[in-house]
């Protein structure tokens, strides 16, 4: 039996083996329709005149629209844990993005199954393990290409392989957290949105409503990126002037204009310009319209089966999408674009009159108690959520005045926050990075010990939420190289920085990179020359002159590095062709080899054990692997740890006698005497650095940080 036939049989057979219940007609069917990463304002009935959602608008018109619905922990897995359990983050245990537990005391499908329902789930669940059912009688999964379990392939991808053998379901080329946009490259009936709607309609059409009441969860993987609607839906927005992003007067730290071609495609922060935002938003809205059409098909299938009037149809999203608001992207933030979600309940006809709109704050934790209540089951006293029907009917006069929100660190430390909102005003508290805002802070420094020519200093301060980084920003100045022999100037904030810098942490800029403007990078790209970015947090030791009579007496400082798995793969595939921009990149690239050497003898090395020691390259036993073998060891290590980047540190010193393993060319400035940087250059050119530097001096080349550069091969 092929996969397609098997899927069709699953739908037909599993929907038909239910026994009869006397109360089947008393209990309404429950249809939970869910989207992923849909903003609360991205529905026409919420007052958004730019998005096209006629079917959702009709549901809202026939039921109750909750104007202030929230996702208390706005990223996929904690939000779905709250939906599954009816509990707050502190009680289901997920304060940020992670893995949903395989078992909880309260689970929506199991509790409804116990109440007499046939339970089926279609689409994205984002649970772990990925095939866990939590009480569903059956599931058909679309996990957006995620593979957290070994050998897992979603039902959608199995179906796709039968429908379009040899074709790529990710042909649009946009990954799961990218905020760029593009049109779906294949027939729209191969799109996961269509598949989810089609599977739901098939199940409903085969279902016997006289057997058991049906609980069906239909979970669309969009409008979460990739923003990849079929062309037909994007065409609907040709003449729609979608609004610019909302920009607060507090977010200037993110306001620097970035080139989307140079920045990370999934960057959580970034000002890429209003047109970039509008383009992404058109595609995002078009995906929502595509989903809305599938919801219309599901509603019609319920009507055709005679199930619509006796059904609670509940629509909600797990969290929102910042869509460039305040120069932010994706989710996990306390702002409305991230935490505010659409929420609609079309009630069974038997419940009578209900409010058209509700302003009280509601949350995902309220969904399960609502379902238990409508099913006639008992809502546990210790469940955090509350049934929504009494609120809609006006019989619950003691509803909460506000809702709590929270998210632990995700993209950066300033992403750790908690908040309270009543739907009108939101109070946000940031655990790590509360702003100083003109307050007086007393900073104390105590020298604890002397370490050679360095010192261990302990800083303390009296502000409970202020970080040391905040103090540095408030009181410090940008460090520029001592060789410039001047104070830091305001212009250095812009000029002493590369156009591709993204992550704070370095004491110095990689000055060779200062020569690369957006125009230069565009010219390189036009020549078909590939580019990769990596991170080394340059320490103060980069300015430290060599004072000892012999190189053995010079101590290198530890510097942290971060390299993406994809970059390591690309380096491995292009060995012999790697040109490093700056000595910083050279040290990082060459350190990768010795990390691979460490992994050859210690495959389970910790991050600390991977740190490259200063003299490690000069021991013969550490130079027996090929570069290809060393890099493969790193890739295998990342696979074992399910990591997409290598984060560790290096103390490597590159001096005459060093054998270069990865770098075949260097773009570098002209360095000062008695520096480790000049030692590196000498090692690369086999000691011939004097001829190069004499030529530079004879021709009036500018030396050091803002000087001229060279290409060494």
């Amino acid at each position: 039996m092929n996969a397609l036939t098997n899927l069709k049989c699953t739908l037909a057979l599993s929907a038909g083996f239910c026994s009869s219940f006397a109360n089947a007609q008393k209990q309404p069917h429950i249809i939970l329709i869910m989207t992923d990463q849909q903003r609360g304002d991205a529905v026409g009935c919420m007052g958004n005149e730019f998005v096209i959602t006629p079917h959702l608008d009709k549901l809202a018109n026939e039921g109750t629209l909750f104007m202030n619905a929230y996702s208390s922990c706005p990223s996929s897995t904690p939000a779905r844990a709250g939906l599954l359990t009816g509990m707050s983050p502190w009680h289901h245990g997920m304060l940020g993005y992670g893995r949903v537990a395989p078992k909880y005391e309260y689970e929506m499908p199991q509790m409804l199954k116990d109440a007499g329902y046939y339970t089926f789930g279609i689409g994205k669940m984002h649970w772990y393990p990925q095939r866990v059912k939590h009480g569903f009688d059956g599931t058909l999964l679309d996990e957006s290409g995620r593979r957290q379990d070994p050998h897992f392939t979603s039902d959608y991808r199995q179906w796709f392989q039968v429908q379009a053998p040899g074709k790529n379901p990710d042909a649009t080329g946009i990954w799961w957290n990218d905020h760029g946009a593009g049109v779906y490259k294949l027939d729209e009936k191969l799109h996961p949105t269509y598949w989810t709607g089609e599977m739901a309609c098939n199940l409903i059409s085969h279902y016997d409503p006289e057997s058991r009441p049906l609980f069906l969860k239909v979970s669309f993987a969009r409008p979460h990126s990739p923003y990849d609607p079929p062309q037909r839906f994007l065409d609907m927005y040709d003449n729609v002037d979608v609004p610019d992003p909302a920009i607060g007067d507090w977010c200037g730290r993110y306001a620097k204009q970035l080139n989307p071609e140079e920045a990370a495609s999934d960057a959580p922060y970034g000002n890429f310009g209003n047109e970039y935002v509008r383009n992404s938003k058109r595609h995002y809205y078009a995906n929502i319209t595509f989903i809305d059409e599938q919801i219309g098909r599901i509603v019609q299938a319920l009507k055709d089966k005679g199930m619509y009037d006796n059904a609670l149809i509940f629509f909600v999203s797990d969290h929102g999408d910042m869509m460039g608001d305040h120069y932010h992207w994706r989710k996990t933030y306390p702002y409305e674009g991230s935490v505010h979600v659409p929420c609609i309940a079309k009630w069974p006809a038997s419940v009578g009159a209900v409010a058209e709109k509700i302003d009280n704050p509601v949350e995902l934790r309220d969904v399960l108690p609502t379902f238990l209540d409508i099913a006639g089951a008992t809502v546990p006293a210790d469940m955090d959520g509350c049934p929504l029907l009494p609120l809609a009917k006006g019989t619950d006069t003691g509803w909460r005045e506000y809702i709590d929100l929270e998210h632990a660190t995700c993209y950066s430390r300033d992403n750790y926050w908690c908040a309270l909102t009543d739907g009108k005003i939101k109070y946000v508290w940031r655990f790590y990075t509360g702003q100083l805002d003109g307050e007086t802070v007393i900073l104390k420094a105590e020298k604890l010990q002397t370490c050679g020519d360095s010192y261990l200093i302990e800083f303390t301060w009296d502000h409970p939420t202020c970080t040391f980084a905040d103090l540095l920003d408030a009181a410090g100045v940008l460090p520029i190289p001592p060789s410039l022999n001047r104070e830091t100037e305001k212009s250095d904030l812009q000029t002493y920085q590369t156009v591709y810098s993204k992550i704070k942490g370095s004491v110095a800029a990689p000055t060779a990179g200062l020569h690369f403007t957006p125009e230069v990078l565009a010219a390189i790209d036009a020549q078909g020359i590939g580019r990769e970015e990596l991170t080394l947090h340059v320490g103060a030791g980069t300015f430290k002159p060599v004072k000892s009579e012999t190189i053995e007496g010079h101590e290198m400082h530890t510097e942290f590095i971060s390299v993406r798995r994809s970059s390591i793969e690309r380096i491995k595939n292009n060995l012999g062709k790697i040109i490093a921009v700056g000595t910083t990149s050279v040290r990082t690239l060459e350190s990768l080899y010795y990390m691979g050497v460490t992994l050859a003898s210690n495959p389970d090395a910790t991050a600390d054990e991977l740190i490259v020691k200063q003299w490690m390259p000069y021991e013969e036993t550490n130079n027996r692997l090929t570069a290809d073998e060393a890099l493969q060891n790193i890739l295998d290590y990342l696979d074992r740890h399910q990591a997409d980047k290598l984060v560790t540190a290096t103390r490597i010193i590159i001096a005459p006698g060093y054998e270069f393993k990865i770098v075949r060319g260097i773009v570098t400035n002209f360095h000062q005497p008695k520096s480790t940087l000049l030692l590196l250059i000498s090692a690369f050119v086999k000691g011939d650095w004097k001829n190069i530097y004499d030529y530079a001096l004879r021709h009036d080349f500018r030396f050091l940080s803002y000087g001229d550069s060279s290409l060494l091969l």
Side-chain angles (χ1 to χ4, degrees):
M1 181 181 291
N2 65 39
L4 177 61
T5 305
N6 187 50
L7 287 175
K8 287 185 175 179
C9 287
T10 300
L11 287 171
L13 296 176
S14 54
F17 80 104
C18 313
S19 59
S20 178
F21 281 76
N23 64 348
Q25 291 304 309
K26 297 179 182 179
Q27 293 176 291
H29 307 292
I30 300 174
I31 313 298
L32 171 60
I33 301 175
M34 186 176 180
T35 53
D36 194 323
Q37 206 157 304
Q38 183 170 350
R39 295 166 57 108
D41 62 7
V43 192
C45 54
M46 289 293 291
N48 187 338
E49 61 182 299
F50 304 102
V51 65
I52 304 167
T53 54
H55 299 288
L56 283 171
D57 297 346
K58 187 175 181 181
L59 276 182
N61 188 56
E62 296 180 358
T64 302
L65 175 63
F66 295 92
M67 302 296 292
N68 293 304
Y70 288 92
S71 175
S72 62
C73 197
S75 58
S76 291
T77 52
R80 290 166 187 268
L83 183 76
L84 175 68
T85 64
M87 307 301 282
S88 68
W90 277 94
H91 288 158
H92 64 62
M94 296 188 70
L95 302 181
Y97 188 86
R99 287 179 170 176
V100 176
K103 181 69 177 177
Y104 293 95
E105 181 180 3
Y106 303 132
E107 298 179 325
M108 181 183 291
Q110 186 62 56
M111 296 182 81
L112 290 170
K113 186 176 183 177
D114 294 342
Y117 280 74
Y118 175 72
T119 59
F120 203 94
I122 297 173
K124 182 179 178 181
M125 303 298 151
H126 215 149
W127 293 338
Y128 184 86
Q130 289 179 277
R131 288 288 181 189
V132 71
K133 288 191 168 63
H134 293 292
F136 275 129
D137 288 299
T139 57
L140 290 172
L141 300 179
D142 169 30
E143 291 297 304
S144 300
R146 292 177 174 85
R147 181 177 292 181
Q148 295 175 309
D149 300 343
H151 314 300
F152 172 82
T153 303
S154 72
D155 299 302
Y156 162 71
R157 299 237 160 184
Q158 293 180 44
W159 171 88
F160 183 96
Q161 290 166 10
V162 174
Q163 294 295 300
K167 293 188 176 181
N168 178 11
D170 306 315
T172 305
I174 306 170
W175 207 238
W176 313 118
N177 282 315
D178 292 357
H179 36 70
V183 174
Y184 190 63
K185 300 296 186 183
L186 305 172
D187 187 293
E188 71 175 59
K189 291 187 177 181
L190 297 174
H191 196 285
T193 293
Y194 185 89
W195 177 87
T196 303
E198 179 73 4
M199 295 300 103
C201 290
N202 284 345
L203 187 140
I204 294 167
S205 68
H206 287 94
Y207 195 72
D208 178 9
E210 302 299 323
S211 57
R212 296 195 219 179
L214 172 65
F215 168 58
L216 173 62
K217 179 182 178 182
V218 185
S219 183
F220 292 94
R222 304 291 194 273
H224 188 297
S225 51
Y227 308 136
D228 62 346
Q231 185 67 55
R232 171 168 75 91
F233 294 95
L234 186 62
D235 290 344
M236 297 181 186
Y237 291 86
D238 277 349
N239 299 314
V240 176
D241 189 19
V242 298
D244 289 334
I247 304 296
D249 58 8
W250 50 265
C251 56
R253 61 185 291 198
Y254 306 108
K256 179 183 177 182
Q257 185 84 34
L258 301 177
N259 185 341
E261 298 298 322
E262 299 168 0
S265 58
D266 62 350
Y269 317 101
N271 174 14
F272 302 113
N274 286 349
E275 183 50 44
Y276 180 90
V277 175
R278 287 193 294 268
N279 183 61
S280 293
K281 191 175 290 186
R282 287 188 187 94
H283 288 74
Y284 177 76
Y285 282 176
N287 259 343
I288 291 172
T289 303
F290 190 12
I291 293 169
D292 183 81
E293 183 175 280
Q294 298 308 307
I295 292 173
R297 294 179 64 215
I298 294 168
V299 168
Q300 188 59 50
L302 291 167
K303 290 180 177 178
D304 293 343
K305 202 70 178 180
M307 299 168 63
Y308 181 80
D309 289 340
N310 190 39
L312 166 60
I313 303 175
F314 200 98
F315 173 79
V316 75
S317 183
D318 57 352
H319 52 77
D321 190 321
M322 289 300 295
M323 272 286 120
D325 284 358
H326 316 302
Y327 310 121
H328 285 50
W329 298 90
R330 297 155 64 181
K331 59 275 188 180
T332 78
Y333 309 107
Y335 313 121
E336 288 292 279
S338 174
V339 298
H340 193 190
V341 296
C343 185
I344 299 168
K346 197 288 296 182
W347 304 100
S350 59
V351 306
V354 293
E356 294 182 358
K357 294 181 180 180
I358 294 290
D359 290 326
N360 304 71
V362 304
E363 207 268 333
L364 293 178
R365 71 190 71 168
D366 298 323
V367 179
L368 175 52
T370 299
F371 292 176
L372 295 174
D373 180 50
I374 206 80
T378 300
V379 179
D382 60 347
M383 189 171 283
D384 296 319
C386 300
L388 292 170
L389 181 57
L391 180 64
K393 291 181 71 68
T395 57
D396 189 331
T397 57
W399 194 262
R400 66 175 78 94
E401 296 181 17
Y402 52 83
I403 197 72
D404 58 296
L405 317 167
E406 186 166 0
H407 205 286
T409 300
C410 192
Y411 304 135
S412 62
R413 288 202 310 168
D414 65 355
N415 194 226
Y416 192 5
W417 54 267
C418 63
L420 293 173
T421 185
D422 61 358
K424 304 177 182 68
I425 298 174
K426 186 183 302 106
Y427 174 79
V428 179
W429 180 261
R430 299 186 183 275
F431 288 99
Y432 287 133
T433 58
Q435 301 299 307
L436 297 181
D437 296 330
E439 298 180 50
T440 299
V441 179
I442 299 175
L443 174 67
K444 297 180 180 179
E446 180 182 0
K447 185 171 71 174
L448 300 183
Q449 66 182 77
T450 301
C451 308
D453 60 354
S454 301
Y455 304 94
L456 179 62
I457 309 292
E458 182 182 57
F459 293 95
T460 58
W461 55 97
D462 64 350
H463 196 289
T465 63
C466 173
T467 68
F468 192 59
D470 294 327
L471 294 174
L472 292 178
D473 286 340
V477 295
L478 177 75
I480 59 173
S483 61
L484 294 177
N485 196 30
R486 62 171 174 79
E487 298 294 325
T488 299
E489 300 171 356
K490 186 176 181 180
S491 61
D492 291 320
L493 295 172
Q494 296 295 325
T495 58
Y496 189 62
Q497 187 60 275
T498 64
V499 296
Y500 48 79
S501 70
K502 297 179 181 69
I503 302 171
K504 291 184 177 181
S506 288
V507 170
T511 53
L514 300 179
H515 300 279
F516 290 82
T517 65
E519 292 76 18
V520 171
L521 293 176
I524 291 172
D525 294 340
Q527 294 297 317
I529 300 172
R531 292 190 284 119
E532 285 292 327
E533 296 177 6
L534 37 78
T535 299
L536 183 143
H537 291 308
V538 178
T542 195
F543 298 135
K544 184 180 178 182
V546 179
K547 296 181 179 180
S548 57
E549 292 187 5
T550 61
I551 189 62
E552 288 86 351
H554 185 80
E555 181 182 357
M556 295 291 288
H557 289 194
T558 301
E559 298 176 315
F560 291 91
I561 70 171
S562 174
V563 186
R564 296 189 301 270
R565 188 192 195 283
S566 58
S567 297
I568 297 171
E569 288 178 333
R570 197 170 186 188
I571 294 165
K572 180 176 179 291
N573 293 332
N574 290 276
L575 288 171
K577 306 175 185 177
I578 306 300
I579 297 177
V581 177
T583 55
T584 298
S585 299
V586 175
R587 298 203 305 277
T588 305
L589 290 165
E590 293 297 311
S591 293
L592 292 177
Y593 173 85
Y594 293 98
M595 293 169 187
V597 169
T598 297
L599 290 169
S601 58
N602 184 9
D604 296 318
T606 65
D608 287 342
E609 291 170 334
L610 284 176
I611 295 174
V612 180
K613 306 299 189 293
Q614 181 169 334
W615 300 110
M616 182 179 176
Y618 303 92
E619 299 176 15
E620 184 178 351
T621 56
N622 294 328
N623 291 275
R624 295 178 178 176
L625 296 182
T626 65
D628 185 87
E629 291 169 336
L631 294 174
Q632 186 60 52
N633 288 343
I634 297 176
L635 294 174
D636 293 342
Y637 172 84
L638 294 174
D639 287 344
R640 288 194 299 274
H641 292 271
Q642 298 182 346
D644 63 356
K645 67 177 61 173
L646 178 69
V647 181
T648 180
T650 183
R651 294 181 59 210
I652 194 171
I653 186 169
I654 298 178
Y658 179 89
E659 290 184 23
F660 285 82
K661 302 297 194 291
I662 294 175
V663 175
R664 292 295 176 263
I666 306 175
V667 177
T668 183
N669 287 16
F670 292 89
H671 307 286
Q672 61 186 344
K674 297 184 178 182
S675 69
T676 58
L677 307 182
L678 189 54
L679 286 173
L680 186 154
I681 299 305
S682 180
F684 188 78
V685 298
K686 308 297 184 184
D688 195 32
W689 67 273
K690 286 187 177 181
N691 286 329
I692 298 171
Y693 276 55
D694 284 343
Y695 181 91
L697 289 168
R698 290 196 306 270
H699 292 82
D700 295 323
F701 283 29
R702 295 169 298 173
F703 276 45
L704 308 178
S705 296
Y706 283 117
D708 293 309
S709 191
S710 61
L711 172 61
L712 306 177
L713 299 171

